[in-house]
Amino acid sequence: MKIPSRFLIAMAALFIAAAPVAAQVAAKTADSGWRVRWQPQQLVNGSAVLFRVRAPTLMKELHANWFNRQLTFRFDPASNCWYALAGVDLNARPGKYPLQLQRGAQGNPGPAFIFEVSVAAKRYPTTAIKVAPGFVQPPPDVQPRIEEEQALKKRLFSQISPDTFWSGRFVAPVENTVSGGFGAARTYNGIKKSQHEGLDYHAAVGTSVRATNAGTVILARSLYFEGNCVVIDHGDGLLTLYMHLSEIKVEEGAKVASGQILGLSGNTGRVNGPHLHFAVRWQGLYLDPQTLIALNPPSP
């Protein structure tokens, strides 16, 4: 039986079109030696996350792309794995997000391996706070100061150190209980201003406030809204912020160790009483500090 030529041409075209797809599937399944884990196991919007990766072959460097941000992994010989800190955008919708691993140096990466990571939705409450009217509608004479401080923070927060200063677990800055949770939509004197991008601790004036991990002090001064404020750069794009202090005990540019006293808690800036506002910022994203403190990275 003679097969029509148009049928042979159609079959050939179908085979050619299917070949690249088969090659892609083979490429993904060929590296079954890759193992990726993350903590916490259930990620939500606003979570800090610790990625652990075991590679099928030896390599000198491992990088990744996550939420359009670059991760640099460190290798832990004791557990034979690579690890890196990251975060999930507070405004991220539930779904699966790709973690794209790249062997080799940044700018000259090796083959990419993509893992889909599930993110669930978390709903955050709304809280109402009473403060002095000047902190809801600042008077005109303080506007230049506010604009100057916003420019300063924008500049400092946009700089990502290529070095890594933190090591081991992160610790709470005070031993007190939490008075205000992360992520709540906040209204000041009945006017919605922002989401709460940190964690509030009960802390009487004069309570010692300690560094959650090692790093470099990039800001230590009085700000209009934050009051006396200290910001530490831990490397890898990770910053921690300590606000409303009554006294600052470190200077800008100083190297600090985990647990070192940074200052004393107070009620400076936009507050309705003494407390410590503790915030975590990773590459422009504010993260839930409680999820960072709960992580268990390899010990130094």
Side-chain angles (χ1 to χ4, degrees):
M1 184 180 72
K2 184 178 181 180
I3 300 176
S5 58
R6 65 178 180 275
F7 179 78
L8 293 175
I9 294 173
M11 289 296 294
L14 180 62
F15 178 81
I16 293 172
V21 176
Q24 290 174 10
V25 173
K28 288 183 179 180
T29 59
D31 262 289
S32 59
W34 286 90
R35 297 290 182 269
V36 180
R37 294 184 298 157
W38 50 86
Q39 184 190 6
Q41 290 185 349
Q42 181 59 75
L43 298 183
V44 298
N45 46 312
S47 285
V49 55
L50 175 70
F51 286 111
R52 294 175 183 263
V53 175
R54 287 193 177 183
T57 58
L58 294 176
M59 62 183 71
K60 292 183 177 180
E61 294 184 36
L62 177 64
H63 301 275
N65 185 283
W66 168 253
F67 274 89
N68 294 319
R69 291 162 171 81
Q70 291 297 315
L71 309 185
T72 297
F73 283 75
R74 284 190 279 175
F75 184 72
D76 176 47
S79 59
N80 190 33
C81 77
W82 296 82
Y83 65 98
L85 283 177
V88 180
D89 192 335
L90 178 58
N91 297 313
R93 295 183 177 183
K96 291 187 176 181
Y97 292 85
L99 175 69
Q100 181 173 301
L101 300 173
Q102 299 172 336
R103 289 191 280 206
Q106 284 181 305
N108 186 28
F113 302 91
I114 299 175
F115 292 82
E116 298 290 334
V117 181
S118 295
V119 173
K122 180 176 181 178
R123 293 185 177 181
Y124 294 96
T126 299
T127 58
I129 298 175
K130 291 287 186 180
V131 297
F135 289 110
V136 179
Q137 295 177 328
D141 61 329
V142 301
Q143 287 297 336
R145 176 186 176 183
I146 293 174
E147 293 174 3
E148 182 180 347
E149 292 173 355
Q150 288 175 337
L152 171 66
K153 288 181 287 185
K154 182 178 180 179
R155 178 175 60 82
L156 291 177
F157 292 169
S158 65
Q159 299 172 357
I160 298 179
S161 172
D163 300 317
T164 300
F165 307 119
W166 68 273
S167 64
R169 298 197 63 162
F170 289 76
V171 299
V174 293
E175 296 180 355
N176 306 53
T177 57
V178 173
S179 61
F182 170 83
R186 289 209 153 174
T187 62
Y188 291 92
N189 300 358
I191 301 175
K192 183 177 179 180
K193 285 293 184 180
S194 62
Q195 280 186 286
H196 192 221
E197 295 176 325
L199 201 63
D200 288 342
Y201 286 92
H202 292 287
V205 174
T207 302
S208 294
V209 176
R210 301 177 183 275
T212 188
N213 210 311
T216 301
V217 178
I218 61 172
L219 187 146
R221 64 180 70 182
S222 175
L223 303 176
Y224 183 76
F225 290 112
E226 296 85 353
N228 291 328
C229 178
V230 173
V231 179
I232 298 179
D233 180 2
H234 301 283
D236 300 332
L238 183 70
L239 308 177
T240 52
L241 299 80
Y242 311 75
M243 304 180 189
H244 311 310
L245 305 176
S246 62
E247 186 176 343
I248 296 174
K249 292 188 173 294
V250 291
E251 296 181 352
E252 294 176 1
K255 304 291 185 183
V256 295
S258 179
Q260 181 175 331
I261 294 178
L262 304 175
L264 306 179
S265 65
N267 57 353
T268 57
R270 184 169 64 184
V271 296
N272 62 348
H275 71 280
L276 170 69
H277 177 93
F278 174 54
V280 173
R281 184 182 172 96
W282 173 73
Q283 295 199 32
L285 304 179
Y286 279 99
L287 309 177
D288 185 350
Q290 288 184 307
T291 61
L292 177 70
I293 293 171
L295 297 180
N296 188 26
S299 300

